[in-house]
Amino acid sequence: QVCRNKMEDFAMLVHKLTEPAKQGDSATVREVLRDSKRLHFLWQPTTVQQEAIDKCIDTCLPSGGGEQHLKGWVVTSVNEWGGDQERIFLLTDKRCYRIKFDFDSKQVTASKAIELSEVIRVEYGSFKAAKASLTTWVWKKEIEQQQGFRIFTRELDGNKSINAIAREQLPALLGTEPTPQEEFYREYRAFGAEEEPWREEVFAQELAAAFMAASILSGANFDVRPAEMDKEVPGGVFSMFYNSLSLGKYSKTA
């Protein structure tokens, strides 16, 4: 019964976001995602987080009103080593932005924008520990309790992981022809989910529904689908300890 109710709630959220998106109505999409009446129990920023999101919108979005923001979130972004990093994530009707924000100085220190037209697909759901890794075998239970989402693009978003470099070099060692990598992904999870794991499924579904609407608004029409995602941790035990100590969280202010 609980599972069915969750599916019905998600279906309703998708409907309420995609129908106005089909009419090009980004304002209604933004209002649904704001969820001020708590109809869908979507992510709500603290006052400090909202101030940071507003600053990111002012700093990163082009002036002139040609791009409409839909919502901003504080997220956990997973880097090329498998390390969790605190970031602000903005979604608009044209792009998504990953932003490093200093909550002490209240300034954007780095940002990366991805055109929605460059997105191949978005996957969301639970993780499955990669079988060929001692690290993921040791932390298998912890990894498979997590949920998140991945944005797939044709261009690398960030730096190559050591695993990707090794896969590139392997054909030369074996004397075989290399197979070019045709897609890359960036992974995100709910911020602060270590203390409240239930947040992850709700967060992943919220982002999935938001991207469905953004896909329509942008005209990119990429696929957004549930998946069981293989999870690697290229940094091994060092990344797991890095994450357990919350070293990627830059300020307790957030």
Side-chain angles (χ1 to χ4, degrees):
Q1 180 69 32
V2 173
C3 182
R4 186 175 68 182
N5 288 342
K6 286 183 179 180
M7 292 176 63
E8 290 174 351
D9 289 344
F10 177 59
M12 178 59 69
L13 176 62
V14 169
H15 176 78
K16 291 176 72 172
L17 287 170
T18 56
E19 286 305 305
K22 292 174 185 176
Q23 306 304 317
D25 185 357
S26 59
T28 297
V29 172
R30 181 165 56 250
E31 186 61 28
V32 172
L33 287 171
R34 193 160 70 94
D35 198 24
S36 58
K37 296 182 179 179
R38 308 295 284 130
L39 298 176
H40 303 285
F41 299 96
L42 304 184
W43 183 82
Q44 300 293 320
T46 65
T47 300
V48 171
Q49 290 171 340
Q50 186 60 59
E51 289 173 352
I53 290 167
D54 291 341
K55 179 69 174 180
C56 290
I57 292 170
D58 291 341
T59 303
C60 299
L61 267 63
S63 59
E67 184 173 357
Q68 301 299 316
H69 85 274
L70 303 178
K71 188 168 179 175
W73 298 261
V74 178
V75 303
T76 294
S77 173
V78 183
N79 69 10
E80 66 272 14
W81 295 98
D84 294 342
Q85 297 181 314
E86 172 191 302
R87 294 290 185 265
I88 288 177
F89 187 86
L90 298 182
L91 181 62
T92 77
D93 61 346
K94 291 182 173 60
R95 301 176 182 88
C96 58
Y97 297 79
R98 183 178 67 257
I99 303 165
K100 183 178 179 181
F101 187 84
D102 188 319
F103 281 88
D104 295 321
S105 66
K106 303 185 186 306
Q107 296 295 322
V108 170
T109 59
S111 66
K112 171 70 175 181
I114 297 293
E115 300 281 343
L116 295 183
S117 59
E118 297 175 3
V119 175
I120 300 172
R121 70 180 181 280
V122 173
E123 292 184 354
Y124 67 97
S126 58
F127 295 109
K128 181 174 65 175
K131 295 179 180 179
S133 167
L134 177 60
T135 303
T136 54
W137 180 79
V138 172
W139 274 276
K140 183 175 187 293
K141 182 178 179 181
E142 179 181 335
I143 288 171
E144 295 188 350
Q145 288 176 339
Q146 299 175 356
Q147 295 200 36
F149 74 102
R150 289 174 174 172
I151 302 172
F152 288 79
T153 55
R154 290 186 175 84
E155 299 294 330
L156 179 64
D157 178 10
N159 299 318
K160 292 181 181 179
S161 72
I162 192 169
N163 289 7
I165 294 171
R167 282 192 285 265
E168 286 180 355
Q169 295 176 345
L170 188 60
L173 296 174
L174 298 177
T176 58
E177 288 295 320
T179 302
Q181 188 170 348
E182 296 182 351
E183 61 182 31
F184 304 85
Y185 67 81
R186 189 80 184 195
E187 181 177 301
Y188 299 89
R189 293 176 52 223
F191 180 73
E194 296 78 13
E195 292 80 20
E196 297 178 284
W198 62 269
R199 288 185 181 188
E200 298 222 287
E201 181 179 10
V202 177
F203 172 79
Q205 290 188 347
E206 176 180 348
L207 266 293
F211 264 93
M212 289 178 192
S215 172
I216 296 169
L217 285 168
S218 66
N221 296 316
F222 49 79
D223 190 22
V224 181
R225 65 192 188 203
E228 187 178 58
M229 301 172 287
D230 284 339
K231 174 84 169 181
E232 294 182 335
V233 184
V237 65
F238 298 104
S239 291
M240 297 306 293
F241 280 119
Y242 173 93
N243 294 341
S244 68
L245 295 172
S246 299
L247 297 179
K249 189 175 187 300
Y250 298 105
S251 170
K252 293 183 179 180
T253 307

